Amino acid sequence: MTSAADRRLAKLESALSPREAVLAWLVEAQQFPSLVDHARSIVELPVEAAPLGVIGARIEAAVRAAMKGQPSGTRSDAPSAMAPSCSRSCSS
């Protein structure tokens, strides 16, 4: 791939929502006949190229893009999947 194509692909991948990032990895992982085969394919990868590193980077990029322009520490519009369940179970 050319460097321009690499940049375009990186930009598209960083535009994925956290859910889309995980689903993209799942589609890739399902191309292997077994979990062992998938693990063998990634065992020699550097940390930043391994699935958890890639998913984390994609999610971080998505959150940063969503929060762009907001002052540091602002969370008023940030969705929180844990807040409702934590507020019920953590308050007892």
Side-chain angles (χ1 to χ4, degrees):
M1 234 189 272
T2 67
S3 60
D6 289 337
R7 286 192 301 270
R8 285 194 299 268
L9 180 59
K11 186 174 181 179
L12 286 172
E13 288 175 340
S14 69
L16 296 175
S17 71
R19 181 183 182 127
E20 291 169 331
V22 173
L23 291 175
W25 164 78
L26 185 58
V27 167
E28 179 184 324
Q30 289 177 335
Q31 301 303 310
F32 293 89
S34 71
L35 181 59
V36 172
D37 291 324
H38 180 257
R40 286 183 181 139
S41 76
I42 63 172
V43 73
E44 296 296 326
L45 292 175
V47 172
E48 56 276 348
L52 288 180
V54 172
I55 291 169
R58 288 178 179 173
I59 290 172
E60 181 180 355
V63 170
R64 287 186 185 277
M67 301 298 289
K68 190 172 186 174
Q70 295 186 19
S72 171
T74 301
R75 295 179 10 164
S76 62
D77 294 333
S80 177
M82 295 301 292
S85 60
C86 184
S87 63
R88 284 183 289 219
S89 62
C90 296
S91 61
S92 38

